[in-house]
Amino acid sequence: MCGIVGAVGARNIVPILVEGLKRLEYRGYDSCGVAVYQDGGLRRSRSTARVAELDAQIAADAVQGSTGIAHTRWATHGAPVVHNAHPHVSGGPGGDAARPPRVALVHNGIIENHDELRAELQSRGYLFASQTDTEVIAHLIDSLYDGDLFEAVQQATLQLRGAYAIAVVCRDEPQRVVGAREGSPLILGVGQGESFLASDAMALAGVTDQIVYLEEGDVVDLQLGKHWIVARDAAGGRHQRVQRAVRTVHAHTGAAELGPYRHYMQKEIFEQPRAIADTLEGVEGIVPELFGDGAHRVFKDIDSVLILACGTSYYAGCTAKYWLESIAKIPTQVEVASEYRYRDSVPNPKTLVVTITQSGETADTLAALKHARSLGMPHTLTVCNVATSAMVRECKLAYITRAGVEIGVASTKAFTTQLAGLFLLTLALAQQRGRLDDAAEAAHLKALRHLPSALQAVLALEPQVIAWAEDFARKEHALFLGRGLHYPVALEGALKLKEISYIHAEAYPAGELKHGPLALVTSAMPVVTVAPNDALLEKLKSNLQEVRARGGELFVFADADTRIESSEGVRVIRMPEHYGPLSPLLHVVPLQLLAYHTACARGTDVDKPRNLAKSVTVE
């Protein structure tokens, strides 16, 4: 969540800042703004509308300059109103009215000690114009400024507790931007005679492909065509000059083009066959080295799996638990990352700690990983969509999914590619443990290779799903049911409907229906059921009868040979084929389509649902 762009150049960099913000819109935001050095001072423009409206406002105000910072904000401290929007400024004690602003700053993250810092700064005469923790940093840097912005930022970061990525400019140093990070991502872009900062390499697509990934505690000084980086010493005190590798990173711009689709979410749903094919490209056989050098030794040394994830990625982990325990016969635990590090658990040094994250920057998951390591669990692996992310750098092993850029806040292709990667992990562990013979390996690989074609057949069901969505658009509540391997799919379907249509939806294991949720079932409560032709089918049919007996209306996604027929109060969409253990990858797709078309019928903002962010980089 939140996006940062900063630049120092010899030209007007405002178009670069604005274009960078547009590329970061997918992360989610509720306000945006820019600040640049212009005519001897700092000019600022902020808005609670979209970046396009900010762009028009900038043009109308003739804001331009060769040094500046920009930001998209997702509200944490303070409501999404203009006076809380970034950039925040400080003009010294007495507030902005006393003199023009000297320091402007943008910030991602949360400062945990902002209250005590605010009290100290107020006692020294600083006035606050917002409710944000960010304004505290601006005033703190101003209070420490003595002619050298780089030095002031270094001193300020030593007083901050929490997570932050910041970019700062100063009225008295017109060709300089200073950045710093701790617990929140920030990158440096190296251009031809220009320097850039951003929270995401995609923000700099088309500007530079030379990227430096700043590490925890780094402070960076950007000037025309040059930069310096310092890092805190081991004791967390003095800063020392360091060198960080410059990498060539191709952030593809084409993936962000909408093309013929109405929304990015629809585009990304239909990109899933290609994304799965790309994710599986090059997999000729099941070998530990699919997950990195040293995987064979690690897999041999483990006797259990711990999966850490949040949101949709958590449901991918819940699905993988069924695979890992039934196919690889390895005990598996799945934890919500934001809960795991705040409870007492029993560590096992022979556990493989698996993190799942689309962005690789999810703050809760990164913190949970570090907590697991601190408990003495050194074996770590991530399934992640971004090869250059913090999570990939933190884990010893990795499987990089190749979903491509996912713009829609509600995850679709990232989820199914995560499932593909987790199934490969299951097979690799099964093989290592002597649970996968050659015939079974060949059968599973054949099924994986057929997935893109199978997904295309499922996507052809869209017209039938649209008809259901017309009815769902008039509802305010929905219940989702699944059994066994498909219970996490039901959870994911309910989450998608909640996220983008704002319909309250819950998911339950179908066997739990009579233990509480059956009390909610009426004709006004549609019940969506995932009904594959597996060992639990007959049990599921009994659960469906329980719904019909109470006047509930059933919407069933059934495999072709389940013999569940449409009748009064029972609507059935038949899936093209039964897909065994990989069935979740197919059954989740019509649930994505149902959520999407229901949201379209209700007129919600599908790609940018209210209150949500794509990349959750704060706790």
Short mmCIF file of all heavy atoms in Angstrom, two decimals, residues 366-423:
data_model
loop_
_atom_site.label_atom_id
_atom_site.label_comp_id
_atom_site.label_asym_id
_atom_site.label_seq_id
_atom_site.Cartn_x
_atom_site.Cartn_y
_atom_site.Cartn_z
N LEU A 366 6.65 -10.92 6.22
CA LEU A 366 8.08 -10.74 6.44
C LEU A 366 8.41 -10.81 7.93
O LEU A 366 9.39 -11.46 8.34
CB LEU A 366 8.54 -9.39 5.87
CG LEU A 366 8.73 -9.33 4.35
CD1 LEU A 366 8.80 -7.88 3.89
CD2 LEU A 366 9.99 -10.08 3.92
N ALA A 367 7.59 -10.15 8.75
CA ALA A 367 7.82 -10.17 10.20
C ALA A 367 7.66 -11.58 10.76
O ALA A 367 8.42 -12.01 11.65
CB ALA A 367 6.87 -9.20 10.90
N ALA A 368 6.66 -12.33 10.26
CA ALA A 368 6.46 -13.70 10.73
C ALA A 368 7.64 -14.59 10.35
O ALA A 368 8.07 -15.45 11.13
CB ALA A 368 5.16 -14.25 10.15
N LEU A 369 8.17 -14.39 9.15
CA LEU A 369 9.35 -15.15 8.73
C LEU A 369 10.53 -14.89 9.67
O LEU A 369 11.20 -15.84 10.12
CB LEU A 369 9.72 -14.76 7.30
CG LEU A 369 11.06 -15.30 6.79
CD1 LEU A 369 10.98 -16.80 6.57
CD2 LEU A 369 11.48 -14.58 5.51
N LYS A 370 10.77 -13.64 9.97
CA LYS A 370 11.89 -13.30 10.85
C LYS A 370 11.68 -13.88 12.25
O LYS A 370 12.63 -14.34 12.90
CB LYS A 370 12.06 -11.78 10.90
CG LYS A 370 12.52 -11.19 9.57
CD LYS A 370 12.54 -9.67 9.60
CE LYS A 370 12.91 -9.11 8.23
NZ LYS A 370 12.87 -7.63 8.20
N HIS A 371 10.42 -13.89 12.69
CA HIS A 371 10.11 -14.47 14.00
C HIS A 371 10.40 -15.97 13.99
O HIS A 371 11.00 -16.50 14.94
CB HIS A 371 8.64 -14.21 14.34
CG HIS A 371 8.20 -14.83 15.63
ND1 HIS A 371 8.68 -14.41 16.85
CD2 HIS A 371 7.33 -15.85 15.88
CE1 HIS A 371 8.13 -15.14 17.81
NE2 HIS A 371 7.30 -16.02 17.24
N ALA A 372 9.99 -16.66 12.94
CA ALA A 372 10.25 -18.09 12.85
C ALA A 372 11.75 -18.38 12.88
O ALA A 372 12.20 -19.32 13.56
CB ALA A 372 9.62 -18.65 11.57
N ARG A 373 12.51 -17.57 12.16
CA ARG A 373 13.97 -17.76 12.18
C ARG A 373 14.54 -17.52 13.57
O ARG A 373 15.44 -18.23 14.01
CB ARG A 373 14.62 -16.82 11.16
CG ARG A 373 14.53 -17.31 9.72
CD ARG A 373 15.63 -16.70 8.87
NE ARG A 373 15.69 -15.27 9.02
CZ ARG A 373 15.46 -14.38 8.05
NH1 ARG A 373 15.14 -14.79 6.84
NH2 ARG A 373 15.55 -13.09 8.27
N SER A 374 14.01 -16.51 14.25
CA SER A 374 14.51 -16.19 15.59
C SER A 374 14.24 -17.32 16.58
O SER A 374 14.92 -17.43 17.61
CB SER A 374 13.89 -14.88 16.09
OG SER A 374 12.53 -15.07 16.48
N LEU A 375 13.23 -18.15 16.28
CA LEU A 375 12.91 -19.28 17.14
C LEU A 375 13.78 -20.50 16.83
O LEU A 375 13.61 -21.55 17.46
CB LEU A 375 11.43 -19.66 16.99
CG LEU A 375 10.41 -18.61 17.45
CD1 LEU A 375 9.00 -19.10 17.17
CD2 LEU A 375 10.59 -18.30 18.93
N GLY A 376 14.66 -20.37 15.85
CA GLY A 376 15.57 -21.47 15.53
C GLY A 376 15.11 -22.36 14.41
O GLY A 376 15.44 -23.55 14.38
N MET A 377 14.35 -21.79 13.46
CA MET A 377 13.91 -22.56 12.28
C MET A 377 14.57 -21.95 11.05
O MET A 377 14.06 -20.99 10.46
CB MET A 377 12.38 -22.55 12.20
CG MET A 377 11.73 -23.30 13.35
SD MET A 377 9.93 -23.51 13.19
CE MET A 377 9.37 -21.89 13.66
N PRO A 378 15.72 -22.48 10.64
CA PRO A 378 16.52 -21.85 9.58
C PRO A 378 16.10 -22.19 8.16
O PRO A 378 16.52 -21.51 7.22
CB PRO A 378 17.92 -22.39 9.86
CG PRO A 378 17.68 -23.76 10.42
CD PRO A 378 16.41 -23.65 11.24
N HIS A 379 15.30 -23.24 7.97
CA HIS A 379 14.96 -23.69 6.62
C HIS A 379 13.77 -22.88 6.09
O HIS A 379 12.64 -23.02 6.57
CB HIS A 379 14.62 -25.17 6.61
CG HIS A 379 15.71 -26.05 7.14
ND1 HIS A 379 17.03 -25.94 6.73
CD2 HIS A 379 15.69 -27.06 8.06
CE1 HIS A 379 17.76 -26.83 7.36
NE2 HIS A 379 16.98 -27.52 8.17
N THR A 380 14.02 -22.03 5.10
CA THR A 380 12.98 -21.11 4.63
C THR A 380 12.84 -21.18 3.12
O THR A 380 13.82 -21.34 2.39
CB THR A 380 13.31 -19.66 5.04
OG1 THR A 380 14.59 -19.29 4.51
CG2 THR A 380 13.33 -19.51 6.55
N LEU A 381 11.60 -21.06 2.66
CA LEU A 381 11.28 -21.10 1.24
C LEU A 381 10.10 -20.18 0.99
O LEU A 381 9.17 -20.12 1.81
CB LEU A 381 10.94 -22.53 0.82
CG LEU A 381 10.62 -22.82 -0.64
CD1 LEU A 381 11.01 -24.27 -0.98
CD2 LEU A 381 9.14 -22.62 -0.98
N THR A 382 10.11 -19.46 -0.12
CA THR A 382 8.97 -18.61 -0.45
C THR A 382 8.42 -18.97 -1.82
O THR A 382 9.18 -19.36 -2.73
CB THR A 382 9.35 -17.12 -0.42
OG1 THR A 382 8.17 -16.33 -0.56
CG2 THR A 382 10.33 -16.74 -1.52
N VAL A 383 7.12 -18.85 -1.95
CA VAL A 383 6.44 -18.90 -3.24
C VAL A 383 5.97 -17.47 -3.49
O VAL A 383 5.11 -16.96 -2.78
CB VAL A 383 5.26 -19.88 -3.24
CG1 VAL A 383 4.52 -19.85 -4.57
CG2 VAL A 383 5.76 -21.29 -2.93
N CYS A 384 6.56 -16.81 -4.48
CA CYS A 384 6.41 -15.36 -4.63
C CYS A 384 6.40 -14.98 -6.10
O CYS A 384 7.02 -15.66 -6.94
CB CYS A 384 7.57 -14.66 -3.90
SG CYS A 384 7.52 -12.87 -3.95
N ASN A 385 5.73 -13.89 -6.41
CA ASN A 385 5.60 -13.45 -7.80
C ASN A 385 6.65 -12.43 -8.22
O ASN A 385 6.71 -12.05 -9.38
CB ASN A 385 4.19 -12.86 -8.02
CG ASN A 385 3.86 -12.66 -9.49
OD1 ASN A 385 4.17 -13.49 -10.32
ND2 ASN A 385 3.26 -11.51 -9.81
N VAL A 386 7.46 -11.95 -7.29
CA VAL A 386 8.43 -10.89 -7.59
C VAL A 386 9.83 -11.36 -7.21
O VAL A 386 10.18 -11.44 -6.02
CB VAL A 386 8.08 -9.58 -6.85
CG1 VAL A 386 9.07 -8.48 -7.23
CG2 VAL A 386 6.65 -9.15 -7.17
N ALA A 387 10.65 -11.65 -8.22
CA ALA A 387 11.96 -12.25 -7.99
C ALA A 387 12.90 -11.33 -7.24
O ALA A 387 13.84 -11.80 -6.58
CB ALA A 387 12.58 -12.66 -9.33
N THR A 388 12.67 -10.02 -7.32
CA THR A 388 13.59 -9.06 -6.70
C THR A 388 13.07 -8.55 -5.36
O THR A 388 13.60 -7.58 -4.82
CB THR A 388 13.80 -7.87 -7.65
OG1 THR A 388 12.52 -7.33 -8.02
CG2 THR A 388 14.54 -8.29 -8.90
N SER A 389 12.05 -9.17 -4.81
CA SER A 389 11.40 -8.66 -3.60
C SER A 389 12.19 -8.98 -2.35
O SER A 389 13.10 -9.83 -2.34
CB SER A 389 10.00 -9.26 -3.47
OG SER A 389 10.08 -10.66 -3.28
N ALA A 390 11.81 -8.32 -1.26
CA ALA A 390 12.46 -8.55 0.03
C ALA A 390 12.31 -9.99 0.48
O ALA A 390 13.23 -10.59 1.05
CB ALA A 390 11.88 -7.60 1.08
N MET A 391 11.13 -10.59 0.24
CA MET A 391 10.89 -11.96 0.69
C MET A 391 11.84 -12.94 0.01
O MET A 391 12.38 -13.85 0.66
CB MET A 391 9.44 -12.36 0.43
CG MET A 391 9.06 -13.69 1.06
SD MET A 391 9.09 -13.65 2.87
CE MET A 391 7.58 -12.76 3.20
N VAL A 392 12.04 -12.77 -1.28
CA VAL A 392 12.95 -13.66 -2.00
C VAL A 392 14.38 -13.50 -1.47
O VAL A 392 15.12 -14.48 -1.33
CB VAL A 392 12.88 -13.41 -3.52
CG1 VAL A 392 13.93 -14.22 -4.26
CG2 VAL A 392 11.48 -13.74 -4.04
N ARG A 393 14.74 -12.29 -1.16
CA ARG A 393 16.09 -12.05 -0.63
C ARG A 393 16.24 -12.64 0.78
O ARG A 393 17.33 -13.05 1.17
CB ARG A 393 16.40 -10.56 -0.63
CG ARG A 393 16.44 -9.92 -2.01
CD ARG A 393 17.11 -8.55 -2.01
NE ARG A 393 16.45 -7.58 -1.16
CZ ARG A 393 15.44 -6.81 -1.54
NH1 ARG A 393 14.94 -6.92 -2.77
NH2 ARG A 393 14.90 -5.94 -0.71
N GLU A 394 15.16 -12.69 1.54
CA GLU A 394 15.21 -13.16 2.93
C GLU A 394 15.20 -14.68 3.03
O GLU A 394 15.69 -15.23 4.02
CB GLU A 394 14.03 -12.60 3.72
CG GLU A 394 14.09 -11.10 4.00
CD GLU A 394 15.06 -10.75 5.11
OE1 GLU A 394 15.45 -11.66 5.87
OE2 GLU A 394 15.45 -9.58 5.22
N CYS A 395 14.61 -15.37 2.05
CA CYS A 395 14.48 -16.83 2.12
C CYS A 395 15.63 -17.54 1.40
O CYS A 395 16.12 -17.06 0.39
CB CYS A 395 13.15 -17.26 1.52
SG CYS A 395 11.71 -16.82 2.53
N LYS A 396 16.00 -18.70 1.92
CA LYS A 396 17.08 -19.47 1.30
C LYS A 396 16.65 -20.07 -0.02
O LYS A 396 17.45 -20.19 -0.95
CB LYS A 396 17.53 -20.57 2.26
CG LYS A 396 18.29 -20.05 3.49
CD LYS A 396 18.81 -21.20 4.33
CE LYS A 396 19.61 -20.68 5.53
NZ LYS A 396 20.11 -21.79 6.37
N LEU A 397 15.39 -20.49 -0.10
CA LEU A 397 14.88 -21.13 -1.30
C LEU A 397 13.67 -20.36 -1.80
O LEU A 397 13.00 -19.65 -1.04
CB LEU A 397 14.48 -22.59 -1.00
CG LEU A 397 15.57 -23.49 -0.42
CD1 LEU A 397 14.98 -24.85 -0.07
CD2 LEU A 397 16.74 -23.64 -1.38
N ALA A 398 13.36 -20.51 -3.09
CA ALA A 398 12.22 -19.77 -3.65
C ALA A 398 11.69 -20.47 -4.87
O ALA A 398 12.44 -21.12 -5.61
CB ALA A 398 12.63 -18.34 -4.00
N TYR A 399 10.39 -20.34 -5.08
CA TYR A 399 9.80 -20.66 -6.37
C TYR A 399 9.11 -19.39 -6.86
O TYR A 399 8.18 -18.89 -6.21
CB TYR A 399 8.79 -21.80 -6.30
CG TYR A 399 8.43 -22.30 -7.69
CD1 TYR A 399 9.25 -23.23 -8.33
CD2 TYR A 399 7.35 -21.79 -8.39
CE1 TYR A 399 8.98 -23.66 -9.62
CE2 TYR A 399 7.06 -22.22 -9.67
CZ TYR A 399 7.88 -23.15 -10.29
OH TYR A 399 7.62 -23.57 -11.55
N ILE A 400 9.58 -18.86 -7.98
CA ILE A 400 9.04 -17.61 -8.51
C ILE A 400 7.89 -17.92 -9.47
O ILE A 400 8.11 -18.55 -10.51
CB ILE A 400 10.14 -16.80 -9.23
CG1 ILE A 400 11.36 -16.61 -8.32
CG2 ILE A 400 9.58 -15.46 -9.69
CD1 ILE A 400 11.05 -15.92 -7.00
N THR A 401 6.70 -17.54 -9.07
CA THR A 401 5.58 -17.66 -9.99
C THR A 401 5.73 -16.59 -11.07
O THR A 401 6.39 -15.57 -10.85
CB THR A 401 4.24 -17.49 -9.26
OG1 THR A 401 4.21 -16.19 -8.63
CG2 THR A 401 4.07 -18.55 -8.19
N ARG A 402 5.10 -16.81 -12.18
CA ARG A 402 5.27 -15.86 -13.28
C ARG A 402 3.90 -15.37 -13.73
O ARG A 402 3.52 -15.45 -14.89
CB ARG A 402 6.05 -16.51 -14.41
CG ARG A 402 7.48 -16.89 -13.99
CD ARG A 402 8.20 -17.70 -15.02
NE ARG A 402 8.42 -16.95 -16.25
CZ ARG A 402 8.94 -17.47 -17.36
NH1 ARG A 402 9.28 -18.75 -17.38
NH2 ARG A 402 9.10 -16.75 -18.44
N ALA A 403 3.18 -14.83 -12.75
CA ALA A 403 1.84 -14.31 -13.05
C ALA A 403 1.91 -13.01 -13.82
O ALA A 403 0.94 -12.61 -14.46
CB ALA A 403 1.06 -14.10 -11.75
N GLY A 404 3.04 -12.32 -13.76
CA GLY A 404 3.12 -10.98 -14.34
C GLY A 404 2.51 -9.96 -13.39
O GLY A 404 2.05 -10.28 -12.30
N VAL A 405 2.49 -8.72 -13.83
CA VAL A 405 1.96 -7.65 -12.99
C VAL A 405 0.46 -7.86 -12.77
O VAL A 405 -0.29 -8.10 -13.71
CB VAL A 405 2.21 -6.28 -13.64
CG1 VAL A 405 1.56 -5.17 -12.83
CG2 VAL A 405 3.70 -6.04 -13.78
N GLU A 406 0.05 -7.80 -11.52
CA GLU A 406 -1.37 -7.90 -11.18
C GLU A 406 -1.82 -6.54 -10.64
O GLU A 406 -1.38 -6.11 -9.59
CB GLU A 406 -1.59 -9.00 -10.14
CG GLU A 406 -3.05 -9.34 -9.94
CD GLU A 406 -3.25 -10.48 -8.96
OE1 GLU A 406 -2.90 -10.31 -7.78
OE2 GLU A 406 -3.74 -11.54 -9.37
N ILE A 407 -2.68 -5.88 -11.40
CA ILE A 407 -3.11 -4.52 -11.08
C ILE A 407 -4.31 -4.52 -10.14
O ILE A 407 -4.38 -3.75 -9.18
CB ILE A 407 -3.46 -3.74 -12.36
CG1 ILE A 407 -2.24 -3.72 -13.30
CG2 ILE A 407 -3.91 -2.32 -12.04
CD1 ILE A 407 -1.05 -2.97 -12.78
N GLY A 408 -5.30 -5.36 -10.43
CA GLY A 408 -6.51 -5.40 -9.60
C GLY A 408 -6.16 -5.73 -8.16
O GLY A 408 -5.37 -6.62 -7.89
N VAL A 409 -6.79 -5.01 -7.24
CA VAL A 409 -6.51 -5.25 -5.82
C VAL A 409 -6.92 -6.68 -5.42
O VAL A 409 -6.22 -7.35 -4.67
CB VAL A 409 -7.24 -4.20 -4.95
CG1 VAL A 409 -7.25 -4.62 -3.48
CG2 VAL A 409 -6.56 -2.85 -5.09
N ALA A 410 -8.03 -7.17 -5.93
CA ALA A 410 -8.48 -8.52 -5.62
C ALA A 410 -7.66 -9.52 -6.44
O ALA A 410 -7.74 -9.54 -7.67
CB ALA A 410 -9.97 -8.67 -5.93
N SER A 411 -6.88 -10.34 -5.78
CA SER A 411 -5.94 -11.22 -6.46
C SER A 411 -6.66 -12.35 -7.19
O SER A 411 -7.60 -12.96 -6.66
CB SER A 411 -4.95 -11.81 -5.45
OG SER A 411 -4.03 -12.65 -6.09
N THR A 412 -6.20 -12.65 -8.40
CA THR A 412 -6.76 -13.74 -9.19
C THR A 412 -5.63 -14.63 -9.72
O THR A 412 -5.39 -15.71 -9.22
CB THR A 412 -7.61 -13.19 -10.35
OG1 THR A 412 -6.84 -12.23 -11.11
CG2 THR A 412 -8.88 -12.52 -9.83
N LYS A 413 -4.92 -14.14 -10.73
CA LYS A 413 -3.87 -14.98 -11.33
C LYS A 413 -2.71 -15.21 -10.37
O LYS A 413 -2.02 -16.23 -10.48
CB LYS A 413 -3.39 -14.37 -12.64
CG LYS A 413 -2.76 -12.98 -12.54
CD LYS A 413 -2.27 -12.52 -13.90
CE LYS A 413 -1.64 -11.13 -13.81
NZ LYS A 413 -1.01 -10.72 -15.10
N ALA A 414 -2.48 -14.30 -9.43
CA ALA A 414 -1.43 -14.56 -8.45
C ALA A 414 -1.79 -15.77 -7.59
O ALA A 414 -0.92 -16.57 -7.24
CB ALA A 414 -1.22 -13.33 -7.57
N PHE A 415 -3.08 -15.91 -7.27
CA PHE A 415 -3.54 -17.03 -6.45
C PHE A 415 -3.36 -18.37 -7.17
O PHE A 415 -2.79 -19.32 -6.61
CB PHE A 415 -5.01 -16.82 -6.08
CG PHE A 415 -5.64 -17.96 -5.32
CD1 PHE A 415 -5.31 -18.19 -4.01
CD2 PHE A 415 -6.58 -18.77 -5.92
CE1 PHE A 415 -5.89 -19.23 -3.28
CE2 PHE A 415 -7.17 -19.82 -5.22
CZ PHE A 415 -6.83 -20.05 -3.89
N THR A 416 -3.81 -18.45 -8.40
CA THR A 416 -3.73 -19.73 -9.11
C THR A 416 -2.28 -20.11 -9.42
O THR A 416 -1.93 -21.29 -9.39
CB THR A 416 -4.57 -19.71 -10.40
OG1 THR A 416 -4.30 -18.51 -11.14
CG2 THR A 416 -6.05 -19.77 -10.07
N THR A 417 -1.43 -19.14 -9.69
CA THR A 417 -0.02 -19.48 -9.92
C THR A 417 0.66 -19.90 -8.61
O THR A 417 1.56 -20.74 -8.62
CB THR A 417 0.75 -18.32 -10.57
OG1 THR A 417 0.56 -17.12 -9.81
CG2 THR A 417 0.27 -18.09 -12.00
N GLN A 418 0.23 -19.31 -7.49
CA GLN A 418 0.74 -19.78 -6.19
C GLN A 418 0.37 -21.24 -5.98
O GLN A 418 1.20 -22.05 -5.53
CB GLN A 418 0.15 -18.94 -5.05
CG GLN A 418 0.74 -17.56 -4.92
CD GLN A 418 -0.03 -16.69 -3.93
OE1 GLN A 418 -1.11 -17.07 -3.46
NE2 GLN A 418 0.50 -15.52 -3.61
N LEU A 419 -0.87 -21.61 -6.31
CA LEU A 419 -1.29 -23.00 -6.17
C LEU A 419 -0.43 -23.92 -7.04
O LEU A 419 -0.04 -25.01 -6.62
CB LEU A 419 -2.76 -23.15 -6.55
CG LEU A 419 -3.78 -22.53 -5.58
CD1 LEU A 419 -5.20 -22.76 -6.10
CD2 LEU A 419 -3.63 -23.10 -4.18
N ALA A 420 -0.12 -23.47 -8.26
CA ALA A 420 0.73 -24.27 -9.14
C ALA A 420 2.11 -24.48 -8.51
O ALA A 420 2.65 -25.60 -8.51
CB ALA A 420 0.86 -23.61 -10.51
N GLY A 421 2.69 -23.43 -7.97
CA GLY A 421 4.00 -23.54 -7.32
C GLY A 421 3.95 -24.44 -6.10
O GLY A 421 4.87 -25.23 -5.84
N LEU A 422 2.88 -24.34 -5.31
CA LEU A 422 2.74 -25.16 -4.11
C LEU A 422 2.52 -26.63 -4.46
O LEU A 422 2.96 -27.51 -3.71
CB LEU A 422 1.59 -24.62 -3.26
CG LEU A 422 1.86 -23.27 -2.59
CD1 LEU A 422 0.56 -22.63 -2.11
CD2 LEU A 422 2.85 -23.42 -1.44
N PHE A 423 1.85 -26.90 -5.57
CA PHE A 423 1.67 -28.29 -5.98
C PHE A 423 3.02 -28.90 -6.39
O PHE A 423 3.32 -30.05 -6.07
CB PHE A 423 0.66 -28.40 -7.13
CG PHE A 423 0.19 -29.80 -7.38
CD1 PHE A 423 -0.71 -30.41 -6.53
CD2 PHE A 423 0.66 -30.52 -8.47
CE1 PHE A 423 -1.15 -31.71 -6.75
CE2 PHE A 423 0.24 -31.81 -8.71
CZ PHE A 423 -0.68 -32.42 -7.84
#
